[in-house]
Structure formats: C-alpha cells, structure tokens
Amino acid sequence: MKKILLVDDELRMLDLLSLYLAPKGYNCIKKTSALEAIRFLEEDKADLILLDVMMPEMDGWETCKEIRKNWDIPIIMLTARSEKMDVVRGLKIGADDYISKPFDEEELIARIEAMLRRKKGNGGTIGFHGLSLNEESFNVSYNHQQVPVTPKEFSLLNLFLLNRNKVFTRDQLLTTIWGYSVGTEDRTIDSHVRNLRDKLRKTGFPVDEYLTTVWGLGYKWMDKDS
C-alpha cells in the first residue's frame, strides 16, 4: 500500500483528502504542520507528499526546501493561490507538481497515479498493442517505428494510457497538461488530439479504435481488455 503524507494546517482539508484517497488504496498520514511532517520523515517514509502552501510558522515553500535537503520524495503542492509566479517558485524549489484549491478529485488522483508511476522506475515504458511510450526518453513508437510527437502530445498520450477507459473533460486536460497557462482554450485540446491521431495513423496504429471522442465532454482511451 502506497503511503501519502498529507500536510495542511486545516484538519478539514486533511480529512477531505483522506476521504478521496483512502478508498483508492492509499495509506494517508495526516500532519498539521511542517515540523510534524519533517519529524515523521525522520522516523518513517512516504511515497508521495501533498503539501499545502499557506501554513503558519513554516509555509509550504520553506517546507519543500527543507524536505529536498534530505529526501527525494515526489511533492505535489496544494494551494488556493494560482498566480504564475507562485507556480514557478514552487517548481524551482523542488516541487514536482502543483494543484490549486478547490481541486477536482479525479484530476488529483490522476496526477498522483502518474507521479507514482514515474517514480516506480520500472524502465518507464508503457506498452499498448504494439505502441510503446518511454517516460524517461520521451520517445513514442509503434512496432519500432518512431512517432514524432511534441511534448504536449506526449503528455496527452501518457495520461490516456495511464488512465484507460477514463473520460477526461477538456477542462481536466487543460489543467493537467497545460497547468495554469492563461488564455488556453478548449480548441487547443481538440487541435492537439487531432494532431496526435494523425501522427499515430501514419504509422499504421488503429488510433480511432482507442482514442475516442465523448461528445459534449471530452476524450477517453478505450481498452476493452481492462
């Protein structure tokens, strides 16, 4: 069972996060301050940390810097602040991802799963019916034929393959893949999905059987075997 360290000075938020994560099989450790979290890490271990930014005494940015001095644990920062400079600051001091409150439960779960999968270190390769995606080299191939995808197209394909049969709305894809980019519109998602489909078709991969449009919602990757 994966252990997630939850750090937030609001007990209500800790309980809410645990309510989301525990049914998914995660062991949630709740801490209400940075010092409590660091003391825990000195005695035990965690697979991932959800860290609130706005905390008294020691905020999330300082906590992240302290944790990075001694531990290489994936950190997702939680905050009500979504200004671009705050995002940049968090990533520069060692955070791996950033999500603002109020957040979407499914988006949070998807980010956690993707983060843990990358950390697993199992070669970083996802395979699907001859399609191969390497998370370390950012290469995509079909039956050993290279697919020249862009970074955003790679991220979309990676997300779909890690969450087969799950419907992603355009808003969820915008937030997950583009983060907090200002001015990004729904048609950006449609354009990238269209380009990804075209590139996969050119290699002979039957992409239309798997990457489907859910009308009025978004997209999902079909997998009848799972």
Side-chain angles (χ1 to χ4, degrees):
M1 180 181 290
K2 295 294 185 181
K3 188 181 297 183
I4 298 184
L5 177 59
L6 310 176
V7 190
D8 197 306
D9 61 310
E10 295 185 18
L11 285 172
R12 184 179 62 84
M13 180 56 66
L14 291 175
D15 291 340
L16 181 64
L17 288 168
S18 182
L19 183 66
Y20 288 160
L21 298 174
K24 300 294 183 180
Y26 294 111
N27 179 15
C28 298
I29 309 298
K30 304 176 187 178
K31 299 297 177 183
T32 57
S33 73
L35 294 179
E36 286 184 16
I38 291 171
R39 280 196 289 265
F40 171 82
L41 292 173
E42 289 173 344
E43 302 294 332
D44 209 326
K45 67 176 184 177
D47 296 290
L48 183 142
I49 301 171
L50 291 180
L51 175 63
D52 184 45
V53 169
M54 303 307 292
M55 295 189 296
E57 298 180 5
M58 184 186 294
D59 64 28
W61 289 306
E62 291 299 319
T63 306
C64 183
K65 286 196 291 187
E66 288 299 313
I67 290 173
R68 279 289 170 259
K69 291 178 182 178
N70 297 293
W71 296 280
D72 182 21
I73 303 170
I75 297 174
I76 298 177
M77 302 194 79
L78 302 173
T79 182
R81 303 166 65 113
S82 59
E83 289 85 355
K84 183 176 180 180
M85 289 308 299
D86 290 332
V87 176
V88 172
R89 179 180 178 185
L91 297 176
K92 280 187 175 180
I93 62 177
D96 297 280
D97 205 350
Y98 206 100
I99 187 168
S100 63
K101 304 174 187 175
F103 49 80
D104 180 83
E105 174 188 352
E106 293 185 350
E107 177 194 346
L108 178 65
I109 297 296
R111 290 193 184 207
I112 289 173
E113 290 175 349
M115 191 74 65
L116 291 174
R117 176 121 184 182
R118 288 197 296 269
K119 188 67 177 177
K120 188 175 180 181
N122 60 350
T125 300
I126 304 171
F128 184 87
H129 296 271
L131 189 65
S132 179
L133 182 148
N134 190 296
E135 295 174 303
E136 295 178 355
S137 64
F138 289 89
N139 285 329
V140 177
S141 63
Y142 175 60
N143 290 340
H144 306 293
Q145 181 181 348
Q146 289 295 118
V147 184
V149 296
T150 67
K152 295 300 186 188
E153 292 164 359
F154 181 93
S155 295
L156 279 170
L157 183 58
N158 185 53
L159 185 67
F160 287 135
L161 290 178
L162 289 175
N163 299 274
R164 299 167 196 173
N165 296 320
K166 171 181 168 58
V167 177
F168 285 96
T169 67
R170 289 174 174 82
D171 284 343
Q172 288 173 330
L173 292 173
L174 282 171
T175 305
T176 303
I177 305 299
W178 274 261
Y180 299 89
S181 298
V182 177
T184 309
E185 301 178 354
D186 287 358
R187 63 173 176 266
T188 298
I189 292 293
D190 297 335
S191 175
H192 279 75
V193 169
R194 182 172 61 251
N195 291 340
L196 178 60
R197 282 173 169 157
D198 288 343
K199 290 177 180 180
L200 290 171
R201 284 193 200 103
K202 287 178 180 178
T203 67
F205 180 77
V207 63
D208 297 298
E209 295 180 17
Y210 303 110
L211 181 49
T212 62
T213 301
V214 181
W215 297 109
L217 289 176
Y219 299 95
K220 73 173 176 179
W221 189 278
M222 293 283 292
D223 184 2
K224 298 177 182 179
D225 297 329
S226 65

